[in-house]
Structure formats: C-alpha cells, structure tokens
Amino acid sequence: MKRSLGTRTEINRALTELGWQLARLDAGEIRILCGGASGLCMLEILSRSTLDVDALGLLGRGGSLLRIRRFPDELRAAVDRTAEVMGLDRDWLNAQAGALLDLGLPKGVMARSRKHRRNYGPCLTVQFLARIDQAALKLFAAMDPRSGQRHFRDLEELKPTGREMNHAIRWMLGWKTSAAFRQKLAEILQVIGFPRQARVVSTFRRPSESC
C-alpha cells in the first residue's frame, strides 16, 4: 500500500533524501520543475496529503524545459532508493504531468518558478510553480472526467482570485478548443464563483469558427 507523503515537511524529507542519494551516486546537477498537489503543499496553500510529486520537466541550460520521457539512470536509481528508505511507492516522483508540455505552460512560468527554488544538496534543485500557475493547472485538471473532483476540491481550497482565473483562461483559450470544452470550462468557473469569466469563455469564438 502506498504511503502518503503527507505534509510539506514530509515532501521536504523525501526531496532531501533524493538529493542525498544523488550525491552518493556522484550524479551531475539535476534541476526539476514541479507542480501539482505537492507544489501547493510546498507553498503552504493546500492542506491535504499527496501520494506523489509531479515533475513537469527537467530544466536544461539556458532556462529550457525538457519533457521527461524517462528518468535519467542516476535519477531513477536515486528515486528508487529513496522509496526504499522512506517506504514510498516507486513512483513517488513521476513525470506523468509532463504531458502538459505538449499543450504549453502559461507564459512566464519559468521566471515565476525561480522565486520558489529550493536546493537539496549539491546535485538536486527543484523549482515549484508559482501560485498563479498552480491555479491555472488546477482549473484545467478539474475538467478531467476521471479525477476532476479531487482537483476541483483543491481549487476550492486554493480560493483563486479573479486575476488568477483570468490568467488561466488566457492560457487555455490560446489552444485550439471545441465548444464543448469551453462550455465545460465555463460551468466550472460558474460553480466556483466567477460568472464574468464564465461568460467570456462560453461566448468565445475563434475567427475560423462559424457563428
């Protein structure tokens, strides 16, 4: 059975252990961009526990963000050893959320995440998404028909502002979306108390769409 990572303290412990295991392997520097519930816990915004840490990508030279198709061997070994030491699931750190890179993250996300950078020894640096970007990703995740309710509850606890929802809407309306997608998004915005933003989304049309 998976053991929850629990609080911000537990997440910090796991990442500190991961950094130690990387140092033991004499690994090169690894920099990771993280988000999800663990990121919200690290910003002391979310109170619930989480089973994993969501890695959105690896930070490359020059500030580039690289999608993780598979963990580098040293990182995989260090993740596995950390799981053994702390009694966590092997996938306590995973890159499933990296699929978001195919859509593109909100503009300016990297610069904002640098304000939430933490070093875990000489080999590991983790940057966490800023609150405004966490809110955007949670709004998108709340639309998932399988796990949306959990993300919806996180969004309610987050208590996003109008500015944060405007940021999220600009991000999502930049994609090629269907009318059904926009209607679902508008419904969620209405339920969480943003009727003006809901109207903007529900009436949005691209020039190529017929009236």
Side-chain angles (χ1 to χ4, degrees), residues 16-91:
T16 299
E17 180 65 31
L18 178 62
W20 166 242
Q21 294 297 336
L22 286 167
R24 287 182 67 248
L25 292 169
D26 196 24
E29 183 185 11
I30 292 177
R31 298 188 298 152
I32 307 174
L33 179 67
C34 290
S38 61
L40 288 169
C41 288
M42 291 301 293
L43 296 183
E44 299 184 278
I45 295 170
L46 192 65
S47 60
R48 76 169 173 85
S49 61
T50 181
L51 291 172
D52 54 17
V53 175
D54 297 315
L56 289 164
L58 292 174
L59 300 170
R61 296 185 181 278
S64 61
L65 182 61
L66 310 173
R67 183 171 177 184
I68 304 171
R69 303 293 177 180
R70 61 186 294 272
F71 284 148
D73 291 344
E74 290 172 334
L75 179 56
R76 178 73 268 168
V79 168
D80 289 348
R81 180 58 184 153
T82 299
E84 293 173 12
V85 169
M86 296 191 62
L88 301 171
D89 185 85
R90 185 173 185 262
D91 290 330

Side-chain angles (χ1 to χ4, degrees), residues 4 9-10 13 24-25 30 35 39 49 55 62 72 84 98-99 108 133 142 148 152 154 173 185 196:
S4 169
T9 300
E10 286 292 304
R13 279 186 59 209
R24 287 182 67 248
L25 292 169
I30 292 177
S49 61
E84 293 173 12
D133 299 308
F152 183 83
D154 289 346
L173 292 185
L185 177 57
R196 183 178 66 81

Side-chain angles (χ1 to χ4, degrees), residues 33 56 65 97 100-101 103-110 129 133 137 171 175:
L33 179 67
L56 289 164
L65 182 61
L100 280 169
L101 298 190
L103 295 170
L105 295 177
K107 185 177 179 180
V109 68
M110 297 302 298
L129 294 182
D133 299 308
L137 269 62
W171 173 52
W175 310 334

Side-chain angles (χ1 to χ4, degrees), residues 56-178:
L56 289 164
L58 292 174
L59 300 170
R61 296 185 181 278
S64 61
L65 182 61
L66 310 173
R67 183 171 177 184
I68 304 171
R69 303 293 177 180
R70 61 186 294 272
F71 284 148
D73 291 344
E74 290 172 334
L75 179 56
R76 178 73 268 168
V79 168
D80 289 348
R81 180 58 184 153
T82 299
E84 293 173 12
V85 169
M86 296 191 62
L88 301 171
D89 185 85
R90 185 173 185 262
D91 290 330
W92 72 269
L93 176 70
N94 65 77
Q96 294 176 12
L100 280 169
L101 298 190
D102 294 337
L103 295 170
L105 295 177
K107 185 177 179 180
V109 68
M110 297 302 298
R112 288 186 292 272
S113 73
R114 282 196 288 271
K115 299 176 183 177
H116 306 286
R117 176 190 295 161
R118 288 176 172 81
N119 295 317
Y120 296 96
C123 302
L124 179 63
T125 300
V126 180
Q127 289 180 203
F128 296 95
L129 294 182
R131 176 191 161 101
I132 193 170
D133 299 308
Q134 296 272 21
L137 269 62
K138 276 296 174 186
L139 179 60
F140 175 56
M143 298 179 66
D144 191 313
R146 294 169 297 178
S147 59
Q149 282 300 313
R150 170 165 50 86
H151 297 297
F152 183 83
R153 290 191 296 270
D154 289 346
L155 194 60
E156 287 186 311
E157 184 171 345
L158 178 60
K159 294 182 173 59
T161 65
R163 175 174 172 268
E164 289 167 345
M165 289 297 90
N166 290 340
H167 173 73
I169 290 166
R170 284 194 298 272
W171 173 52
M172 284 190 271
L173 292 185
W175 310 334
K176 184 177 181 180
T177 57
S178 66

